[in-house]
Amino acid sequence: MHNVIEALKILSFRTLFDAIADAAIVMENTGHVVLMNPAAQQLFGYNENELMGVAVEMLITPRYRKQYRYYQTLFLDKPAKLPMGTGNEIMACDRSGQEMLLDMSFSPIEVQQQLYVLITFTVFRQRLKVEDTLRVREECLRLAKQAAGFGIFDYDFKRGVVYWDRKMREFWGGYPGEVISYEGFVAMIHPADRVGRQAALDYAMNPASHGEYKAEYRVIDPLEKTERWIAVAGRVYFEANSATRLVSVVRDVTEQKIFQKQLRIPRNEAEKIFEQQAAARTASAIAHELNQPLTAISAYSEVVLQTLRNDNFDVKRLKNALQGCVEQTQRAGRGLHELIAFLQKSELAAESLDLNDVIREALDVVVSDGSGKFRTRLKLEKDLPAVQCNRTQVHKVLVNLFRNAAEAMRTADSPILTIITQVQALNDKRMASVIVQDNGPGLDQTMAKRIFEPFFTTKQTGIGMGLAISRALIEANDGELWVEPDGEPGAKFHFTLPFAPESYLS
Ligand code: ADP
């Protein structure tokens, strides 16, 4: 017994250390390896010399290093034994890259007031299978991510930091660190896109949204000054109804955006050219139309001046000339008003209304404004479903059709001038049909083709915009306006308007 005690007294620390069955490492308080026993050399596949002076964290799988550093700092701040099974599990990596889940224990050793740490590792054999499966899954995810070119980030709201993978860092102009402050992350987002992105995030952070986050924004490369379009889809996680983190998958959609933009350019240009042509045509037509009344006004004014120069001027001549001025001014004004009304049509809203009422109102206007003497016959349909349209616009169309009919009939020699207005429900088409018929001279095929052209008129003081505007207004209300050529007797105009949805659903 005495011999045994003596023998143990001379047993060196090194012999004892090398005899430990578990893998063991001694490190300095800086985290660097000073000793490594044979079990550790076998477990990690390195010999002691290779790891001498190397940081222990180099043996830890990169994505667990942060966690390891946390254990290490915790221990070095307050060196007390941290035995196994107290949650110091970590994923480490051997020389061949094989990952293994290890349980670690930390023990302080003080030699000449210098702190060293003995770390022992044991392999979590019972967990290996689960970890293997997880590793396979992780690998699959990594491959899928790589194939699709996705980046992933994890924004920790409490700490205000973003953990991101390599791909994400590439998107953000090759930022070097695995962690970035949230402010740094946002600073590279295009200022014009920040508000929209924040709105999407605010929505996702509201528990009512189930955390769904979707956004598209531009990221500016600080060095290259180039921008990249990013599409993000992610989920916010909550703890006790408060958002704690956002995990997202990110895609670079720059090419897609460029393609979409290219598609839009020719359309925009085509639209612009069309608009310019339409504007030029309309402007020249207006100039042409105004030219006549302006020339006439100028001629009448000359007459007035000449007449006034004469002391015994002829009052009747003066009156006629001034009357001519007034008429021509009114003609020009009417044309411009109609154009303005046409251009403003898009600002008016549609409503559900009784078409029979609008017809009666429009007819009253034409009868009382002295457009001519004629009879009216209304063949209205009782219980006609309500139509969905803009009252002012349909009223304008009806007044125009009635006025045209009255004016056309002035030249006719029929003893009984009549405007017949017929209303029918086209139930199969869910439309109301209106026919305005007169017994004036009517229209032949050639005329019928031209009357909807802007500025086509056969009247001395006509503008030729009434029917063009009327057709545009009916079409703006989802209906159609046409004329039946060679209608007997006189002209026969048709138009349709859709029923209000509730009138045929009920
Ligand atoms: P304007 O107000 O100058 O008459 P419109 O667009 O209203 O312009 O009509 C264009 C032309 O269509 C008229 O000048 C006329 O020749 C013809 N027209 C319109 N309505 C009738 C009708 N009921 N009967 C015969 N011709 C018509």
Side-chain angles (χ1 to χ4, degrees), residues 211-457:
E212 203 169 317
Y213 172 61
K214 265 191 184 161
E216 275 192 3
Y217 49 82
R218 282 162 292 175
V219 174
I220 301 171
D221 187 321
L223 296 176
E224 309 270 321
K225 298 281 175 237
T226 48
E227 56 180 50
R228 195 191 277 270
W229 272 99
I230 296 290
V232 191
R235 183 165 294 281
V236 169
Y237 291 87
F238 298 90
E239 266 170 38
N241 254 5
S242 143
T244 55
R245 58 194 285 223
L246 163 70
V247 181
S248 292
V249 176
V250 174
R251 228 164 15 110
D252 181 346
V253 290
T254 312
E255 276 182 23
Q256 203 174 314
K257 288 278 177 190
I258 293 172
F259 181 63
Q260 281 170 359
K261 207 169 159 191
Q262 278 169 350
L263 279 183
R264 268 202 309 272
I265 290 168
R267 214 176 67 207
N268 285 347
E269 272 172 8
E271 273 167 13
K272 221 196 252 159
I273 290 165
F274 178 77
E275 276 166 20
Q276 280 168 354
Q277 283 176 348
R281 269 205 314 269
T282 313
S284 72
I286 291 172
H288 174 77
E289 278 309 305
L290 287 185
N291 207 23
Q292 273 183 21
L294 287 178
T295 315
I297 290 167
S298 159
Y300 283 129
S301 307
E302 281 289 318
V303 173
V304 172
L305 282 174
Q306 269 175 16
T307 314
L308 284 176
R309 270 188 215 118
N310 189 339
D311 284 344
N312 298 323
F313 57 77
D314 180 352
V315 177
K316 202 168 166 227
R317 193 169 137 86
L318 197 59
K319 212 174 148 192
N320 280 345
L322 286 173
Q323 184 62 35
C325 279
V326 170
E327 274 168 17
Q328 292 301 323
T329 313
Q330 281 172 351
R331 174 185 167 187
R334 228 173 69 210
L336 289 181
H337 276 300
E338 293 199 335
L339 259 180
I340 289 164
F342 174 59
L343 295 172
Q344 283 174 340
K345 71 180 193 296
S346 56
E347 289 169 20
L348 300 166
E351 59 186 300
S352 162
L353 50 93
D354 184 344
L355 191 54
N356 293 344
D357 278 350
V358 190
I359 291 171
R360 282 194 205 95
E361 283 169 21
L363 211 46
D364 281 349
V365 171
V366 183
V367 168
S368 55
D369 75 358
S371 291
K373 284 213 175 320
F374 53 88
R375 285 191 189 182
T376 57
R377 261 181 75 197
L378 284 180
K379 295 186 188 172
L380 303 182
E381 181 156 317
K382 256 176 72 193
D383 303 320
L384 180 79
V387 288
Q388 183 75 13
C389 53
N390 179 271
R391 177 180 278 269
T392 318
Q393 291 175 341
V394 175
H395 183 268
K396 185 172 171 52
V397 172
L398 282 161
V399 169
N400 191 50
L401 292 179
F402 292 144
R403 230 175 234 153
N404 273 349
E407 285 173 4
M409 289 188 304
R410 266 192 234 153
T411 60
D413 49 15
S414 162
I416 309 166
L417 302 173
T418 317
I419 298 178
I420 304 169
T421 315
Q422 194 178 341
V423 182
Q424 274 175 317
L426 309 175
N427 284 321
D428 51 339
K429 292 191 182 142
R430 293 173 178 168
M431 300 282 239
S433 142
V434 179
I435 299 172
V436 177
Q437 187 176 4
D438 59 67
N439 56 355
L443 292 151
D444 61 25
Q445 294 272 0
T446 328
M447 280 276 282
K449 273 195 194 128
R450 299 210 54 200
I451 54 169
F452 292 99
E453 285 173 15
F455 304 111
F456 174 82
T457 182

Side-chain angles (χ1 to χ4, degrees), residues 71 79 88 119 142 155 161 165 206 211 221 232 261 275 291 308 321 354 395 410 443 461 474 484 491:
Y71 290 155
N88 311 329
I119 311 173
R142 194 182 64 77
Y155 165 27
V161 290
D165 68 354
N206 179 349
D221 187 321
V232 191
K261 207 169 159 191
E275 276 166 20
N291 207 23
L308 284 176
D354 184 344
H395 183 268
R410 266 192 234 153
L443 292 151
T461 55
I474 291 294
E484 208 175 291

Side-chain angles (χ1 to χ4, degrees), residues 479-499:
E480 283 182 83
L481 169 66
W482 69 98
V483 69
E484 208 175 291
D486 300 319
E488 271 296 334
K492 205 172 180 184
F493 285 87
H494 295 246
F495 71 85
T496 54
L497 284 171
F499 291 151

